[in-house]
Amino acid sequence: MLAAGLEPYAGFGPSFSLMCLFSPGMASKFVVSPCDPHLFDSGVNDCLSDFNRSMESSGYRESCPWPTAKGNYNELKTCVDDWANATLCRGHGSLKDDIFLAVHKTYFKRCEKFRDPSPTTLAALIAPVVVVTLFLPIVCAHLATRNAYWLDSPGL
């Protein structure tokens, strides 16, 4: 059975269609339309102007606006994704990445950054794993020899 949307060419069976679909030379025959970065930038500028207006009242200069700005951020992401799809720039990640890096540097620089845990916390998390790893062979050897000793002892 063929996947949805794949119909065999008239006169040939499904095996021929699948063979052509998965043959190495087929990938070179597909033409990808080029990305239009100028149209993408002009569309995204509209998205950014809406986002900028909504962020002006968030107080991002004094503190991290993240919990209240999440809805606006999701709208910006949807708008940028829509323009990337419309201008065929979906696969050109650096265009979208540059936009969101600039947004984060401008509006979310006061947000708390992730830090490594303290050495005490790391030791508390790692020590049980190390101890179990070291003692497991000793416990297994003891149990194996204890059972063998009991089987060989008379009267038990």
Side-chain angles (χ1 to χ4, degrees):
M1 177 159 193
L2 292 175
L6 294 178
E7 294 297 326
Y9 181 72
F12 295 104
S15 62
F16 179 76
S17 297
L18 288 175
M19 181 184 72
C20 288
L21 180 65
F22 294 113
S23 70
M26 290 300 289
S28 62
K29 293 183 182 178
F30 294 112
V31 177
V32 178
S33 300
C35 167
D36 187 356
H38 300 295
L39 183 60
F40 176 76
D41 288 340
S42 67
V44 167
N45 283 338
D46 293 337
C47 301
L48 284 172
S49 66
D50 294 341
F51 182 74
N52 292 339
R53 276 193 300 275
S54 66
M55 289 301 290
E56 288 302 320
S57 63
S58 70
Y60 71 91
R61 290 182 181 94
E62 290 83 30
S63 64
C64 177
W66 177 244
T68 56
K70 187 175 182 180
N72 296 330
Y73 187 85
N74 287 336
E75 287 176 16
L76 174 67
K77 183 180 179 313
T78 302
C79 184
V80 170
D81 287 342
D82 290 345
W83 275 105
N85 289 335
T87 59
L88 304 174
C89 295
R90 185 178 33 193
H92 302 275
S94 65
L95 292 173
K96 287 172 48 175
D97 292 343
D98 293 341
I99 291 164
F100 285 104
L101 283 174
V103 165
H104 280 258
K105 285 180 182 177
T106 303
Y107 296 109
F108 300 108
K109 62 184 170 187
R110 295 218 182 262
C111 294
E112 188 174 316
K113 294 181 172 72
F114 291 107
R115 293 184 301 246
D116 289 335
S118 67
T120 307
T121 305
L122 284 176
L125 291 171
I126 294 173
V129 175
V130 171
V131 169
V132 167
T133 303
L134 293 175
F135 280 116
L136 191 61
I138 295 169
V139 171
C140 289
H142 173 70
L143 291 175
T145 56
R146 185 181 72 166
N147 289 340
Y149 176 73
W150 281 2
L151 294 175
D152 291 339
S153 65
L156 290 178

